[in-house]
Amino acid sequence: KAGVTQTPRYLIKTRGQQVTLSCSPISGHRSVSWYQQTPGQGLQFLFEYFSETQRNKGNFPGRFSGRQFSNSRSEMNVSTLELGDSALYLCASSLGRPGQETQYFGPGTRLLVL
Amino acid sequence: AQSVTQLGSHVSVSEGALVLLRCNYSSSVPPYLFWYVQYPNQGLQLLLKYTTGATLVKGINGFEAEFKKSETSFHLTKPSAHMSDAAEYFCAVSDDSNYQLIWGAGTKLIIKP
């Protein structure tokens, strides 16, 4: 079975731009979660989607948004980029709720905002 | 609200020595507890998971963790460290209201030759 894939793997943007990151979950997994990882803040939960609906949301500003498609693939969008958005963005998929089922993580998208 | 504390952002052990990474949760017994590992330049992967039943949980690569309700702890151990164990380790517990994961800050394990 193919693992979780994320595209692109690396991205450089400038302040004020917007970015869209993509995640393809493991086949059959309906839950997709997004995380931001930085050296200073560690791993922070952004949001979780299940069957095209946002089921849970972390404490991030409205500039961060996401969606999930009928095939469970998910995208996250960050608008009006700030320097502090530079981070590794991780996507994870699971059969059910992240707190019950094993999450399978992609390799991440490393975003650098200049 | 539930929180998770991992003692020590960095832990250094010699190759062949015991590995002990500490994790404590704050409030009521969470329904599930996890340890995940992140090797350099990779995503996270599950090491082990506790649900109910036996309090000693065995995971991959020789790691195990013991759930101690009286100490609100779920420490991770490995009897003999190997160079390949160098990675960052994350403890996570599930919130019993919505089954989201509450993550610890992570502990970087450094293995000295």
Side-chain angles (χ1 to χ4, degrees):
Chain A
K1 228 181 212 184
V4 178
T5 57
Q6 292 186 246
T7 56
R9 292 291 312 277
Y10 303 91
L11 209 46
I12 300 175
K13 292 284 187 178
T14 55
R15 274 183 303 173
Q17 287 187 308
Q18 74 156 18
V19 67
T20 299
L21 311 182
S22 182
C23 172
S24 292
I26 289 173
S27 177
H29 286 190
R30 294 164 65 190
S31 170
V32 174
S33 297
W34 288 90
Y35 297 89
Q36 182 195 67
Q37 187 177 26
T38 58
Q41 299 294 320
L43 196 64
Q44 292 192 285
F45 170 70
L46 280 155
F47 27 66
E48 184 220 352
Y49 285 86
F50 183 84
S51 293
E52 302 179 66
T53 301
Q54 189 181 85
R55 187 158 61 177
N56 281 293
K57 188 177 187 308
N59 191 24
F60 276 81
R63 300 186 296 109
F64 292 82
S65 63
R67 59 179 176 166
Q68 187 179 34
F69 303 95
S70 58
N71 62 358
S72 292
R73 190 177 70 84
S74 178
E75 290 181 346
M76 68 161 280
N77 184 277
V78 188
S79 62
T80 320
L81 284 165
E82 300 177 359
L83 295 179
D85 297 332
S86 294
L88 180 68
Y89 290 88
L90 292 164
C91 164
S93 75
S94 57
L95 281 169
R97 291 186 181 274
Q100 287 180 295
E101 305 286 345
T102 299
Q103 285 200 293
Y104 294 84
F105 284 78
T109 294
R110 192 165 292 281
L111 172 65
L112 177 62
V113 182
L114 302 175
Chain B
Q2 184 70 265
S3 66
V4 178
T5 302
Q6 289 185 243
L7 195 62
S9 59
H10 293 78
V11 169
S12 181
V13 302
S14 297
E15 193 174 17
L18 171 73
V19 174
L20 170 61
L21 303 181
R22 298 176 191 273
C23 172
N24 288 86
Y25 59 91
S26 65
S27 64
S28 59
V29 176
Y32 299 88
L33 299 98
F34 303 81
W35 276 98
Y36 282 85
V37 61
Q38 185 178 30
Y39 296 104
N41 300 312
Q42 293 185 29
L44 284 73
Q45 65 182 87
L46 181 71
L47 261 183
L48 50 82
K49 167 183 167 183
Y50 171 79
T51 55
T52 57
T55 55
L56 185 63
V57 183
K58 293 191 184 302
I60 61 171
N61 302 335
F63 283 91
E64 60 185 33
E66 187 170 10
F67 171 61
K68 290 188 177 179
K69 185 178 173 181
S70 60
E71 298 178 8
T72 63
S73 70
F74 190 54
H75 301 332
L76 182 71
T77 60
K78 181 174 180 177
S80 176
H82 192 272
M83 295 300 291
S84 61
D85 294 326
E88 188 160 19
Y89 293 79
F90 293 89
C91 178
V93 306
S94 57
D95 184 296
D96 56 8
S97 65
N98 61 11
Y99 288 93
Q100 276 303 307
L101 279 177
I102 313 298
W103 293 87
T107 297
K108 275 199 170 74
L109 178 62
I110 300 158
I111 311 295
K112 297 179 290 187

